[in-house]
Amino acid sequence: MTLDPEFTKQTTNLIEQTLELYKSSGASPRIGETWDCANVGDFLCGFFVGEMVGSALSAFQIVHKREPTADEHLEIIELVESHSNEIKEFFAKFN
């Protein structure tokens, strides 16, 4: 593991807290129409995962003042993937 423990903790908190926000706010009823997608839950799941990975990568750049290495980038993705069951379960409700 190459990510420092504090960054890992903060990123995990970001993922968990953001998912809770999504759970409490729901989704716009216009998503399927606006984005022309048949499976709204799949779209939202991909959007959420991209948002979490992108936010974590941005935070990494701000904290460390450099781009992450390939291994660090993969570890960030793995942090999001470690929540995959809960993420998929929630967003499947919108399909």
Side-chain angles (χ1 to χ4, degrees), residues 14-27 48 90:
L14 170 72
I15 296 163
E16 292 170 353
Q17 291 172 2
T18 305
L19 185 57
E20 289 305 313
L21 285 172
Y22 272 75
K23 287 179 178 180
S24 65
S25 65
F48 179 84
F90 172 67

Side-chain angles (χ1 to χ4, degrees), residues 42-93:
D42 293 344
F43 174 85
L44 289 171
C45 184
F47 181 86
F48 179 84
V49 169
E51 180 182 22
M52 292 300 93
V53 171
S55 294
L57 290 172
S58 293
F60 183 94
Q61 291 170 334
I62 290 167
V63 169
H64 297 291
K65 298 182 183 9
R66 65 175 175 83
E67 296 289 325
T69 65
D71 287 340
E72 290 165 334
H73 190 142
L74 286 175
E75 283 186 47
I76 288 169
I77 292 169
E78 288 169 357
L79 288 173
V80 178
E81 288 175 341
S82 71
H83 294 83
S84 64
N85 288 337
E86 186 179 8
I87 293 168
K88 290 186 295 186
E89 182 181 306
F90 172 67
F91 287 109
K93 297 174 183 178

